[in-house]
Amino acid sequence: MLAAFNRPGPVLIFIAIALILDQAIKYAVEIYLPMHELIPVMPFWALYRTHNLGVAFSMLSHLDSWFIVGLRLVIVAFVLWLWRKTSPEQHFAHLGFAMIIAGALGNIIDRLTYGYVVDYILFYTQTWSFAVFNLADSFITIGAIFIVIDEIIQHRKPEPPEA
């Protein structure tokens, strides 16, 4: 199944499904969740609607929206280039690149639609909380982890004997 992610068709289908899911959830968050109000789901996890004007962890929030969109498009193009250049045997890397592209495009759509990125997932304790994030951010993070896993797998593969 993972081998399918080295072909454009399955990758495009995956990205489309991921974008639909991401955007549907963000739309529901914008309609139904109150702004800046903690809604506990589990003892360490809550829904918390906020707007991110920057990139990850609100970095670069002082920059123009179009600059951030342009930066994200350059990143998508670079990841797409990496996807094409990666060996077909690197299945986890191909899946990771697809996830990163889906996540980046999801956040670009937010920026173009709303002027900000919709964040709503919060992990916390009584004394600590992580940055609020969304499904697209999760795709990017998990995709990066898959690429690292693939690199570890490739590094551990025995070298073919020289002829």
Side-chain angles (χ1 to χ4, degrees):
M1 169 133 171
L2 284 178
F5 286 97
N6 66 5
R7 296 191 319 269
V11 167
L12 289 174
I13 291 168
F14 172 82
I15 290 171
I17 291 169
L19 285 173
I20 290 167
L21 184 60
D22 175 63
Q23 291 302 302
I25 291 170
K26 288 175 179 172
Y27 179 78
V29 165
E30 284 292 279
I31 298 298
Y32 298 111
L33 282 183
M35 189 70 155
H36 298 149
E37 188 175 312
L38 192 73
I39 300 172
V41 176
M42 297 176 80
F44 56 88
W45 172 34
L47 298 176
Y48 184 84
R49 178 178 156 219
T50 190
H51 298 157
N52 183 345
L53 300 174
V55 293
F57 309 111
S58 294
M59 292 185 301
L60 308 179
S61 59
H62 64 284
L63 295 177
D64 183 69
S65 264
W66 289 109
F67 176 80
I68 292 173
V69 168
L71 181 66
R72 287 184 174 155
L73 288 173
V74 167
I75 291 168
V76 167
F78 178 67
V79 173
L80 185 58
W81 178 81
L82 289 172
W83 176 83
R84 290 190 50 150
K85 293 292 185 183
T86 300
S87 167
E89 294 82 36
Q90 291 185 258
H91 306 304
F92 282 109
H94 283 280
L95 174 58
F97 292 138
M99 292 181 82
I100 290 170
I101 291 168
L105 290 176
N107 285 338
I108 288 170
I109 291 169
D110 278 15
R111 178 74 60 176
L112 294 174
T113 303
Y114 304 114
Y116 50 82
V117 174
V118 178
D119 286 335
Y120 53 87
I121 301 170
L122 175 65
F123 287 106
Y124 68 98
T125 67
Q126 287 187 356
T127 59
W128 170 86
S129 67
F130 189 72
V132 183
F133 60 100
N134 60 43
L135 182 60
D137 298 331
S138 298
F139 286 146
I140 293 168
T141 302
I142 294 167
I145 290 168
F146 281 164
I147 293 166
V148 169
I149 288 170
D150 200 277
E151 287 299 316
I152 292 168
I153 291 169
Q154 295 304 315
H155 181 71
R156 290 178 166 233
K157 278 187 176 178
E159 297 274 334
E162 291 186 32

